Amino acid sequence: QVQLVESGGRLVQAGGSLRLSCAASGRSFSTYFMGWFRQPPGKEREFVAAIGWRGRDTYYTDSVKGRFTISKDNAKNTVYLEMNNLKPEDTAVYYCAAATGWITVTLPGEYNYWGQGTQVTVSS
């Protein structure tokens, strides 16, 4: 069993930066595929970024490439999402997710565990 707790979300102006953190409890964190998803107001949950269990392979949705960076610290059982040059369309609840085994990273259904979410609001 894995528990995920996100933090770092807040109100920020367009062009600003935030770093989201997701702390994981439980064993074998280093073997988990980790992902960040977001759910904008009134819309479905969408893939943002993912990172392989060793922290070397990263994946991003096109709209955040060059602005967001996902990283994983296996020693601290934490995954991060560094977000730069934020835009109002990045406003959403951001969720951390964990998966075992090889997955299709963009599909929410492939992930076994989810955090409760953290709100990011970008004002124009």
Side-chain angles (χ1 to χ4, degrees):
Q1 192 69 286
V2 174
Q3 290 187 324
L4 304 173
V5 179
E6 303 96 335
S7 61
R10 62 175 176 88
L11 173 65
V12 64
Q13 287 190 330
S17 298
L18 280 178
R19 187 175 81 159
L20 303 184
S21 300
C22 172
S25 64
R27 298 184 295 178
S28 304
F29 175 78
S30 61
T31 65
Y32 283 95
F33 222 99
M34 300 299 297
W36 285 97
F37 287 76
R38 66 187 180 187
Q39 188 162 13
K43 296 184 179 180
E44 294 187 351
R45 195 169 298 190
E46 61 186 28
F47 170 74
V48 176
I51 189 166
W53 61 274
R54 289 180 295 186
R56 283 193 249 172
D57 300 318
T58 57
Y59 310 85
Y60 299 93
T61 192
D62 286 346
S63 63
V64 308
K65 284 181 182 176
R67 300 189 297 123
F68 290 12
T69 303
I70 188 171
S71 60
K72 190 173 184 261
D73 188 336
N74 287 332
K76 294 183 178 180
N77 280 16
T78 302
V79 62
Y80 303 97
L81 185 68
E82 187 77 36
M83 306 187 293
N84 298 310
N85 190 22
L86 283 160
K87 304 176 181 180
E89 51 264 42
D90 295 318
T91 294
V93 178
Y94 282 72
Y95 296 91
C96 172
T100 58
W102 293 100
I103 62 169
T104 301
V105 300
T106 59
L107 298 180
E110 298 276 287
Y111 292 79
N112 307 98
Y113 305 101
W114 289 85
Q116 82 291 345
T118 186
Q119 176 71 48
V120 172
T121 303
V122 184
S123 64
S124 57

